[in-house]
Amino acid sequence: MVAPLSAWPWENLGIFKYLLYGPLAAKVLYSWIYEDAIKDIWCLHILLLCALRGLVHQLWSSYNNMLFLARNRRIKQQGVDFKQIDKEWDWDNFIILQALLASMACLIFPSLDGLPLWNPKGFFTLLLLHLTISEPLFYSAHRFFHESYLFTHYHSLHHSSSVPHPFTAGHATFLEHLILCIVIGIPMTGSVLMGYGSTSMIYGYVLAFDFLRCLGHSNVEVVPHEIFNKLPFLRYFLYTPTYHSLHRTEMGTNFCLFMPLFDAIGKTLNANSWQQHKKISSDSEKKGRVPDFVFLAHVVDVTSAMHVPFVFRSFASIPFSTRIFLVPMWPGTFIVMLMMWARSKTFLLTFYNLRGRLHQTWVVPRFGFQYFLPFATEGINKRIEEGILRADRMGVKVISLAALNKMLTLSAERFQKIQKEAPADCQNYLVQVTKYHAAQNCKTWIVGKWITPREQSWAPSGTHFHQFVVPPILAFRRDCTYGDLAAMRLPYDVEGLGCCEYTMERGVVHACHAGGVVHHLEGWTHHEVGAIDVDRIDLVWEAALKHGLRPVSSVNINTMKKE
């Protein structure tokens, strides 16, 4: 049986929960279109404040997932997996709740609509009320929620997120957020009742509150320890991500909202708080753990460039497909692409752990179309070479190249070498073609390079396209069939994986990625470059299955979903 007030009233609405903002938006639009001025300006303020609160959390999430900036400042080294992402999917429920409560307050007290823009006395009053009421109230409530019954039925949900993330701050039960509404509401309500309230005070306090909540749950230590050496008293008035992370591992300590002063008063301050903070902050200047395996990927196109954790974590956790909300972001992403083209190096995108080994995905900052520009070839090869040499200097054991990073060739000499690898009586069946219409009578096409619908039109009816290309070709021909991209599912014991690889399902990687994983797990030391050793194909396949990798096709995926 579900505990009272543990579930959210709108948890079954899915994306339609955002319709709860509808009355506010409708009020603003009606006044804007049909009235001389926007009446009930508080509706607009609530909507703006909700948008800004979402932006604060999103910016913290983006920074938290920018591993190329934050990897050496991470507190817990594990990655956020799909399970945690799904649990935290509705992290923003509390923003809707507080918007509804704020709307009720404005309807009950119309005078709130006439608050001045600025009143300096209000900030002093607000800080005083926060320090004397909100902080001790949250501290007491937090300790209370760690009692057996309340923790089991309520607060354990928040602690079920094994790796802190800014979205974890909002991941809690309905009852806990009702109490948090009281905590955040008392200083603002008190200041307004004393006649010192202002619009800027409300905006400033709410956004600062969210900022500090995200700070504590960010899993990235951004507060330098030197500041506490110079101002020792400050450590009792500002917590850090390290400070809060200790609460998640040693739950009988560090209960405070933002100020460790109350843990000191309540004798629940973790004795290792300052030392641990200094260690993690100091270690941020050192080089982190060397990965065991690196997959050197590339960007496919401008739209899919937004399918990364530091843009939208939830979107990156599902297979890529073009969505309408990406359209407004396209111009900005295009500008970023130009900036990366002008000046950018290979960077770390994602990571996961497999049987104690660290696997990372690095990205060559080049987009798919650039690989087909003759004047860009030299620059791309230089970036690939730099990435490989950097991995070698670091001591990376295995590096695998993504599709376009291998650079296709039309060399006749290369074709002749491939032809000679076939048995003598079969060599005449291999014919090099340079134009697509040469295969107009062939019903089996092996595609290693993206082809347009016009080029596909040369294939006869009933043709099957075997794809070894990224991005996958458009299924333009209804009278033809299209194979899946070569891919394999990673072993079940993979840890910290929370990002889909382009259009692949969760836990599935392209064959070029999977090949590197097998190479590393087997401990092979030879280089798999140049011509394919056909005699080793069965050996590699059996090694993949032995280590728990599984073949994937659309049939397999549909079967697994039904199960």
Side-chain angles (χ1 to χ4, degrees), residues 314-389:
S314 56
F315 179 52
S317 72
I318 57 177
F320 172 76
S321 61
T322 302
R323 304 294 181 89
I324 190 67
F325 68 84
L326 299 176
V327 175
M329 301 174 61
W330 199 96
T333 307
F334 183 80
I335 293 173
V336 172
M337 183 269 292
L338 295 177
M339 295 170 61
M340 292 172 64
W341 197 352
R343 186 177 180 84
S344 183
K345 299 186 296 183
T346 299
F347 61 90
L348 170 61
L349 178 64
T350 61
F351 74 94
Y352 60 88
N353 290 279
L354 182 60
R355 297 165 194 170
R357 299 174 174 91
L358 176 61
H359 293 199
Q360 292 182 347
T361 295
W362 296 2
V363 176
V364 175
R366 293 296 181 269
F367 289 60
F369 76 92
Q370 294 170 318
Y371 284 77
F372 301 98
L373 301 177
F375 60 86
T377 302
E378 183 178 350
I380 292 173
N381 283 335
K382 183 179 179 181
R383 291 290 174 265
I384 296 172
E385 182 181 6
E386 287 175 350
I388 294 172
L389 293 176

Side-chain angles (χ1 to χ4, degrees), residues 18-33 38 43-44 46-47:
Y18 297 110
L19 292 177
L20 294 171
Y21 290 117
L24 295 172
K27 184 75 172 176
V28 171
L29 287 174
Y30 181 85
S31 295
W32 182 41
I33 296 173
I38 298 179
C43 294
L44 179 60
I46 290 174
L47 290 174

Side-chain angles (χ1 to χ4, degrees), residues 182-197:
I182 298 173
V183 171
I184 193 175
I186 286 175
M188 292 185 291
T189 303
S191 297
V192 171
L193 291 177
M194 293 179 189
Y196 301 139

